Amino acid sequence: MSRRSELVSAAVETLPITVAVISDEGEILLTNRSWREFGPDDDPDDHVGVDYIAAATTDDDEHARRAVDGLERVIAGERETFAMEYPCHSPQEKRWFLMRANRFTVDGEVRASVIHLDITDRKLAELAAEESAEQLRAERRTLERVLERVDGLVRDVTDAVGAGTRDEIERRVCGHLVDVEPYEFAWIGRVDVTGGRIAPSEWGGRIDATVEDDLLLAPDGSHPAVRALETSEPQIVQGLERTASGGDRDWSTCVGADEAVRSMAALPLIHGEVTHGVVVVFATEPDAFEDREVLVLESLAGTIGTAVNAIETRRMLTSEAVVELEVAIEDPSLIVTTLARELEATVSYRGQTYDGDGTPLLYLYVGRTDGVADAAARVDGVTAVTVLSEREDGTLLELTLTDGLVTRLADHGAVIRRLDTDENVVDLTLEMPNSQSARSAFNLLDDRLNRVELISYQEIERPSRTPRDLAARLESTLTDRQLLALRKAYVSDYFEWPRAVSGEELAESMGITRSTFHQHLRSAQAKLLDELFDGDRVVGRQTE
């Protein structure tokens, strides 16, 4: 054997691919080490002398038939080369190979080289890429389906929230929701605070169904609508199955539906920190509420909550009825409790306002005169303290706050009618525009404070001498500085005689001159009298 032949033989022997050389009759003439090692450990035969074509021929293997046909064409001279990919899986793993056959001659005799290259890594990468591409295509189809479903729904619901009453909003929203496939049934529930229930107020659908009975706001929050209210988050239930008995968890029956629904979504109707109710939507598809669709429905629920809040606010301004909530609070972290405990004195709420930057200012009357300002300055959440007036029996303080419970209550539409405390217990009376706001305010207190006890809850007629519409108009005409000057003067008993505080002291607390303070105060008083007696008579009055 020549040196060249030795080099070729050694190179073929060490190639990391299986190689065999066969004759024109299909007999194996030569194999390399990779070929021999590919077989079972107990059969290291090099297969020299075996009829490769006969061994590979089988009727029930399509890949084998293709390989034999291609190899025979190469040997016959019909083609110079043949290649194909084929699977060769074992019980332990999936494998793929590339077979390639090439024709050549040696001393005039036809030969063919057959190699098998392991392409498993490449094939797995291709399959993963194809799976990712299919996933993207599926997500695109899902997104297109979502857009098709909600096309027009957003506009319709937005139009519905322009209705004049809450009942009309709820009726139109339910109607628009069930006009969109695959939604089949929808209902909206309001919170009954006194009964601790969700009371369905409006419903509708394309299937014959009746709405849920009143749902208890149970601690376990078993119903999705209850959980949505308790968590302020959408609650989605997919893949529902109708139970034979219609048991406690059989949401699919929709309570009396002739056709079982397969999925449901419960979304809270929220504006700010106030929850006005819940909307529940049912569908006959088991996976109707995928993530993108939930985002759209969540946005619609927010729009409905905002519209309901606007209607309730408007009703509050025109109605005499309000909700009065009285609670007793035990929590040493409250500003009023901290002051009462440290000073061993009673503390009463006198009012709240905001400075020009929107910083909350709290007015408290402390039944003590010595050390009051220093004690207040040490309380967490208080950034500045101003003594507005001192009397024999106590001190009127203005506290600048970073934030606080009083501010949070105001966000819920609460008006503080009474807030008194000793060293342990705060007696708080709130006036709320409706039952939803009352429940939301009570939950705020209950979540943030150690112990909150509900003393009373009742709907009352607002005294006719409380002209909320007049107050709203007045505040809209006053500048921030005028309103601040007027409130400071009022809570400081500046209008009493003898005066407990001078105009110069109030001006100093605002960081302005005495003359500027009196200018703001006179302008505010003039606007107050104009609104009270004959606001249309005022023309061209200065606003600063």
Side-chain angles (χ1 to χ4, degrees):
M1 179 181 296
S2 67
R3 180 171 178 78
R4 176 183 175 85
S5 297
E6 291 178 353
L7 289 173
V8 170
S9 177
V12 170
E13 185 72 8
T14 58
L15 286 175
I17 57 177
T18 60
V19 178
V21 177
I22 64 176
S23 69
D24 57 353
E25 295 180 353
E27 179 185 349
I28 297 177
L29 303 176
L30 173 71
T31 60
N32 70 345
R33 184 170 60 194
S34 294
W35 181 287
R36 295 190 295 274
E37 292 178 347
F38 182 78
D41 294 338
D42 58 355
D43 184 21
D45 193 352
D46 59 9
H47 301 102
V48 171
V50 173
D51 189 335
Y52 181 85
I53 293 178
T57 301
T58 178
D59 293 332
D60 59 354
D61 188 331
E62 178 185 354
H63 299 293
R65 288 198 304 271
R66 287 180 55 205
V68 169
D69 180 69
L71 182 57
E72 288 178 336
R73 288 174 179 272
V74 168
I75 293 174
E78 297 179 13
R79 55 192 305 174
E80 287 297 317
T81 184
F82 168 76
M84 63 171 284
E85 295 179 2
Y86 66 94
C88 184
H89 304 321
S90 71
Q92 292 77 28
E93 61 179 340
K94 291 185 178 298
R95 299 179 300 182
W96 286 265
F97 290 86
L98 169 66
M99 171 194 171
R100 182 179 293 275
N102 290 280
R103 186 177 187 272
F104 65 98
T105 60
V106 175
D107 298 332
E109 296 182 350
V110 175
R111 300 286 185 264
S113 63
V114 179
I115 67 170
H116 295 268
L117 176 64
D118 190 338
I119 59 171
T120 299
D121 290 343
R122 193 204 77 194
K123 198 68 177 179
L124 290 175
E126 289 177 354
L127 291 174
E130 176 60 28
E131 184 178 350
S132 297
E134 176 57 32
Q135 184 177 357
L136 289 175
R137 289 191 291 268
E139 290 181 356
R140 181 179 179 86
R141 289 193 296 269
T142 299
L143 178 58
E144 290 174 349
R145 185 180 65 172
V146 170
L147 293 176
E148 182 179 355
R149 284 181 181 178
V150 303
D151 183 31
L153 178 60
V154 175
R155 181 184 62 252
D156 292 341
V157 170
T158 302
D159 291 342
V161 299
T165 66
R166 181 172 181 178
D167 290 343
E168 181 63 18
I169 286 179
E170 294 175 349
R171 182 163 50 252
R172 290 170 62 178
V173 164
C174 286
H176 287 309
L177 283 172
V178 297
D179 280 343
V180 178
E181 293 184 355
Y183 306 153
E184 298 288 349
F185 193 83
W187 63 269
I188 291 178
R190 303 182 188 181
V191 179
D192 176 8
V193 178
T194 55
R197 298 172 179 270
I198 301 175
S201 55
E202 189 61 51
W203 55 88
R206 291 179 291 173
I207 59 177
D208 185 13
T210 55
V211 76
E212 311 272 0
D213 293 328
D214 289 3
L215 300 173
L216 284 174
L217 297 174
D220 63 350
S222 57
H223 194 284
V226 176
R227 293 201 305 271
L229 283 177
E230 295 299 328
T231 64
S232 297
E233 296 288 343
Q235 300 297 315
I236 310 301
V237 185
Q238 307 267 49
L240 292 167
E241 295 292 341
R242 181 190 287 273
T243 65
S245 61
D248 292 342
R249 296 296 185 270
D250 190 16
W251 314 131
S252 62
T253 62
C254 193
V255 187
D258 292 337
E259 179 182 0
V261 295
R262 300 299 305 282
S263 56
M264 67 182 294
L267 304 104
L269 305 178
I270 299 176
H271 176 76
E273 294 187 351
V274 179
T275 302
H276 291 282
V278 61
V279 57
V280 184
V281 186
F282 297 87
T284 53
E285 293 184 0
D287 56 351
F289 302 104
E290 60 92 34
D291 291 344
R292 293 187 181 91
E293 192 143 348
V294 173
L295 288 175
V296 173
L297 291 174
E298 191 173 6
S299 177
L300 291 176
T303 301
I304 299 167
T306 299
V308 170
N309 187 79
I311 287 178
E312 292 296 327
T313 301
R314 185 166 63 245
R315 186 188 65 82
M316 178 189 68
L317 294 175
T318 58
S319 173
E320 296 291 333
V322 294
V323 174
E324 185 179 85
L325 192 68
E326 183 180 356
V327 296
I329 303 171
E330 293 185 35
D331 192 308
S333 67
L334 287 174
I335 291 175
V336 290
T337 307
T338 302
L339 274 177
R341 183 178 63 252
E342 184 167 342
L343 296 172
E344 297 182 351
T346 59
V347 178
S348 300
Y349 172 82
R350 294 293 296 271
Q352 180 187 1
T353 187
Y354 300 86
D355 66 9
D357 297 328
T359 303
L361 303 176
L362 179 64
Y363 299 95
L364 299 176
Y365 192 82
V366 182
R368 180 167 169 168
T369 56
D370 58 307
V372 174
D374 292 338
R378 293 191 295 268
V379 177
D380 289 341
V382 177
T383 60
V385 178
T386 301
V387 176
L388 295 181
S389 67
E390 288 186 351
R391 297 182 178 179
E392 292 182 359
D393 60 347
T395 306
L396 180 64
L397 294 177
E398 177 189 77
L399 307 182
T400 303
L401 309 178
T402 54
D403 197 357
L405 185 63
V406 175
T407 304
R408 295 291 184 184
L409 288 172
D411 292 339
H412 288 256
V415 176
I416 298 178
R417 289 304 178 199
R418 185 173 67 90
L419 191 158
D420 298 312
T421 183
D422 55 21
E423 299 177 26
N424 298 309
V425 180
V426 175
D427 294 318
L428 175 64
T429 301
L430 300 174
E431 185 178 284
M432 310 296 301
N434 51 53
S435 59
Q436 285 77 23
S437 297
R439 176 181 183 271
S440 182
F442 182 81
N443 287 344
L444 171 70
L445 296 172
D446 195 41
D447 291 341
R448 290 174 174 258
L449 304 177
N450 288 350
R451 181 179 177 185
V452 179
E453 180 183 355
L454 179 62
I455 304 301
S456 69
Y457 173 96
Q458 57 182 332
E459 288 193 5
I460 62 173
E461 292 294 320
R462 183 190 293 112
S464 58
R465 64 177 182 275
T466 308
R468 291 296 182 87
D469 54 343
L470 174 61
R473 289 199 307 271
L474 178 63
E475 291 195 8
S476 68
T477 61
L478 293 176
T479 66
D480 291 340
R481 303 297 280 178
Q482 290 167 0
L483 182 59
L484 182 58
L486 187 61
R487 282 185 169 169
K488 275 179 175 284
Y490 178 76
V491 300
S492 303
D493 293 335
Y494 177 78
F495 301 108
E496 298 292 330
W497 189 260
R499 288 175 175 167
V501 62
S502 68
E504 185 173 357
E505 291 172 317
L506 291 174
E508 183 178 355
S509 73
M510 292 179 63
I512 58 179
T513 65
R514 179 174 177 274
S515 61
T516 302
F517 169 79
H518 283 293
Q519 180 182 351
H520 288 321
L521 185 59
R522 283 194 299 271
S523 297
Q525 288 174 302
K527 290 179 180 180
L528 173 61
L529 295 174
D530 289 337
E531 288 288 344
L532 182 60
F533 295 118
D534 188 7
D536 294 336
R537 186 168 52 85
V538 181
V539 179
R541 175 162 287 143
Q542 294 292 325
T543 60
E544 293 296 336

